[in-house]
Amino acid sequence: QLQESGPGLVKPSGTLSLTCAVSGGPISSYNWWSWVRQAPGKGLEWIGEIFHGGSTNYNPSLVSRVTISLERSKNQFSLNLSSVTAADTAVYYCARGGVGLSTPENFDSWGQGTLVTVSS
Amino acid sequence: ENVLTQSPGTLSLSPGERATLSCRASERVINNYVAWFQQKPGQPPRLLIYGASDRATGIPDRFRGSGSRTDFTLSISRLEPEDFAVYYCQQYGDSPLTFGQGTRLDLK
């Protein structure tokens, strides 16, 4: 199971920081972990992924502003998105899964999502 | 990036009917790594199909995925009331991973 946490309100030009707690097994039990977002009333956008060994892969549209990191001791991974604007307002999901893996577990498990609003 | 275009945007059907949803990729999808998700309001996406045609754990056999290269289809036979939702396709064969814009399946 996955659970997102973090501030629900971020000021413009600030940094959005979220954490995804993984329960039910070690984070090393699966290769890739992703962040996906969904603006209100819109579709899904993949932000990026982190390998349990620590390497990352980001969406080119966000690469200059995004960092995904891992804390194995806490069994969690995190998202930082800098220089946010109103366009970054969205529900942010963490999910088990990534690019290039075709297994029954790829994107079978998602957090409930957390709404982050960018506003002053 | 591999752009996925879903059609139709909205599909209005009745319970018991068959639904056919299309997903077209702008480039060949590597290894046919296409997944389909169902999303209901206020909920995260739910994995239905992976690898273009393999059903995820616990998904009823009325959901069927097919297709290859650039053209993929999700078919739902004998619609149940709980099937009315938004459906997204996803390609995960290449980075960046991309989603289609969604097809809304409405109750007629």
Side-chain angles (χ1 to χ4, degrees):
Chain A
Q1 292 182 343
L2 291 82
Q3 179 66 57
E4 306 91 349
S5 62
L9 182 64
V10 180
K11 288 183 166 42
S13 78
T15 297
L16 179 160
S17 296
L18 297 173
T19 295
C20 180
V22 178
S23 60
I27 204 164
S28 58
S29 65
Y30 201 72
N31 284 340
W32 291 98
W33 302 86
S34 285
W35 286 97
V36 175
R37 70 180 182 179
Q38 186 170 36
K42 302 297 184 183
L44 301 163
E45 180 183 27
W46 179 74
I47 298 170
E49 62 187 358
I50 187 162
F51 186 63
H52 69 77
S55 57
T56 53
N57 182 26
Y58 301 132
N59 192 321
S61 67
L62 297 168
V63 66
S64 63
R65 300 193 291 130
V66 67
T67 303
I68 298 176
S69 59
L70 198 66
E71 287 187 78
R72 288 185 200 81
S73 61
K74 294 184 179 180
N75 220 42
Q76 65 186 31
F77 62 106
S78 299
L79 169 70
N80 275 3
L81 184 66
S82 62
S83 305
V84 296
T85 69
D88 295 309
T89 293
V91 174
Y92 285 76
Y93 295 102
C94 57
R96 176 171 70 176
V99 176
L101 291 166
S102 198
T103 68
E105 295 80 19
N106 206 42
F107 289 99
D108 73 326
S109 184
W110 295 66
Q112 281 301 304
T114 186
L115 174 63
V116 179
T117 301
V118 178
S119 175
S120 54
Chain B
E1 70 178 44
N2 199 343
V3 177
L4 303 184
T5 302
Q6 292 186 239
S7 61
T10 302
L11 189 55
S12 297
L13 294 170
S14 300
E17 291 191 297
R18 178 185 182 89
T20 302
L21 288 66
S22 174
C23 177
R24 177 162 289 179
S26 61
E27 307 167 13
R28 182 181 65 87
V29 178
I30 293 171
N31 294 327
N32 295 324
Y33 280 178
V34 166
W36 289 90
F37 296 85
Q38 177 193 71
Q39 188 178 34
K40 296 180 179 178
Q43 296 184 17
R46 174 193 180 199
L47 178 66
L48 301 173
I49 301 289
Y50 67 97
S53 59
D54 291 320
R55 270 188 300 277
T57 303
I59 301 303
D61 61 7
R62 64 178 183 274
F63 290 89
R64 180 176 177 271
S66 62
S68 63
R69 299 183 64 82
T70 61
D71 288 292
F72 299 88
T73 300
L74 175 68
S75 301
I76 313 170
S77 62
R78 307 180 311 277
L79 283 166
E80 298 285 345
E82 62 267 27
D83 297 338
F84 293 91
V86 179
Y87 291 83
Y88 294 95
C89 59
Q90 175 207 59
Q91 72 79 24
Y92 54 97
D94 196 12
S95 186
L97 184 156
T98 50
F99 292 90
Q101 83 280 17
T103 289
R104 179 179 303 278
L105 181 54
D106 278 348
L107 190 58
K108 190 173 182 180

